[in-house]
Amino acid sequence: MTRLMQPRKEGSRGKRVLLKVLLGLIAIMLVYSIDVGYTIWKYAERTVNIPSDAAIVLGAAVWEGKPSPVFQGRIDHVMAV
């Protein structure tokens, strides 16, 4: 007894191609993300903390020559470190 195959739906080939393209893009993004993370990790291992005489503190605001409470908190934190 022979069975006849059902004809494919018209849009099924396009959907499969689109799915393959999307899966490929996701795979590329995943590999790229892993590579960037690995590069950052390896760079962090080889850098050395060098003492310095200055620090940059990015602040929120200065009111009439005095730092805002948020900015003052950041300055106090840097001085404690």
Side-chain angles (χ1 to χ4, degrees):
M1 198 185 244
T2 318
R3 277 197 194 177
L4 296 175
M5 295 179 67
Q6 295 289 333
R8 288 190 175 154
K9 296 178 183 175
E10 288 186 21
S12 65
R13 180 178 171 98
K15 288 180 184 177
R16 282 188 292 152
V17 170
L18 180 63
L19 181 63
K20 286 181 181 180
V21 168
L22 288 175
L23 288 175
L25 289 173
I26 290 171
I28 289 170
M29 290 184 342
L30 180 64
V31 168
Y32 179 74
S33 297
I34 290 171
D35 180 55
V36 168
Y38 179 76
T39 303
I40 291 170
W41 184 345
K42 293 309 278 183
Y43 182 78
E45 284 182 350
R46 68 179 176 168
T47 58
V48 179
N49 291 335
I50 301 171
S52 64
D53 295 331
I56 297 175
V57 179
L58 301 176
V62 175
W63 299 328
E64 298 177 5
K66 295 184 179 182
S68 68
V70 173
F71 191 25
Q72 185 63 49
R74 292 178 185 174
I75 294 170
D76 294 340
H77 178 75
V78 168
M79 295 303 290
V81 174

